[in-house]
Amino acid sequence: MLDAIEAVDWARIPGPAGWYRPDLAASGLRALATATGLVQAARAGSVLAGGGLVHDHSGGVFPAVVTAAPILLAIARHGHPEAGATALGLLDDALAFATHDRRTRVATPYAEAVPICCALADHLRGSTDLLATCGLEGKHLRADAAEHWRFDVHEIIAGSDGDGALAFGALAGRFPDDGPQAAELHLAGRAIPLERVVLHYPPEDGSPDACLHITGVRPHELAPPAVLFPARCAPGPEAR
């Protein structure tokens, strides 16, 4: 864990001036990774919540928390129990703050400007086995992360009714079951709003394979590798 912390140039990660403290991100994570009891874990958590990864007094969340998420999850898995509980608490706060932050975006391996809540939720979904052993907080984190679904497009065909396209791919998280959804399509460095996306075929038997019916677009406009996220996580017109 310490090597992973030292490998990051925290000062190069963007964040609001006067709020984000990269020195606190590094020192707080080191302290949390090496904590051996409640007092040390609490002190480290206070540092990380005071400008290192989030700013709990203002409800602010910084891009550094996405970089730190695998480290925090490793602390929860391998660190002292009190340090692990602190790490999960920070992730819980970060996702809650990020859910209300519709402006901050981060670069990921699968898209260049992902809403911070969706990027953080992706890390949490990657550790569902860990979260399943973490009691009520782990259960809440899994449920909250599932709301920030992601769909990776693997293949596109024209819709049979001549309207829009059918997108076959992998669904992560839970696509809402209350009807058509607005989404944001990420393709070739662009973020494109989609007004109507319907889950045409849901995943079955634990497989992520699914199909979406997307109206208002032509098949070539969805060519892989395209990724969809919930529109509610993205900036509204006033923030674009």
Side-chain angles (χ1 to χ4, degrees):
M1 289 182 285
L2 292 177
D3 287 345
I5 296 167
E6 299 305 325
V8 176
D9 186 350
W10 299 96
R12 290 183 64 86
I13 299 175
W19 293 87
Y20 171 51
R21 295 278 305 277
D23 56 322
L24 297 187
S27 63
L29 286 169
R30 283 194 296 268
L32 190 60
T34 56
T36 57
L38 174 60
V39 173
Q40 290 179 344
R43 287 174 178 167
S46 179
V47 168
L48 293 170
L53 301 179
V54 300
H55 192 268
D56 56 1
H57 292 304
S58 65
V61 59
F62 311 133
V65 77
V66 177
T67 302
I71 299 169
L72 291 171
L73 288 164
I75 293 171
R77 192 183 296 272
H78 302 296
H80 187 278
E82 296 293 350
T86 300
L88 289 180
L90 285 163
L91 287 167
D92 193 18
D93 285 347
L95 185 57
F97 298 160
T99 298
H100 298 288
D101 180 346
R102 301 183 66 208
R103 293 176 180 268
T104 303
R105 294 174 178 263
V106 297
T108 71
Y110 44 85
E112 295 179 15
V114 178
I116 189 171
C117 54
C118 294
L120 186 56
D122 240 7
H123 284 298
L124 292 168
R125 280 195 297 267
S127 293
T128 53
D129 62 327
L130 166 67
L131 298 179
T133 68
C134 294
L136 192 60
E137 185 161 37
K139 179 180 179 180
H140 287 161
L141 274 171
R142 283 187 296 159
D144 291 345
E147 298 299 316
H148 302 270
W149 57 267
R150 165 184 157 194
F151 186 82
D152 291 79
V153 177
H154 295 163
E155 184 178 353
I156 292 291
I157 64 172
S160 59
D161 57 2
D163 182 19
L166 293 176
F168 295 87
L171 177 65
R174 188 184 72 83
F175 194 93
D177 55 9
D178 56 353
Q181 302 294 312
E184 186 176 76
L185 168 69
H186 287 243
L187 177 65
R190 296 182 298 151
I192 304 167
L194 301 174
E195 294 184 1
R196 193 174 190 274
V197 177
V198 176
L199 184 59
H200 195 59
Y201 294 123
E204 295 181 352
D205 301 324
S207 169
D209 295 340
C211 176
L212 300 181
H213 184 199
I214 304 172
T215 57
V217 294
R218 297 182 178 88
H220 74 271
E221 295 175 305
L222 293 165
V227 187
L228 279 70
F229 301 98
R232 63 179 178 80
C233 298
E238 74 282 356
R240 288 187 186 277

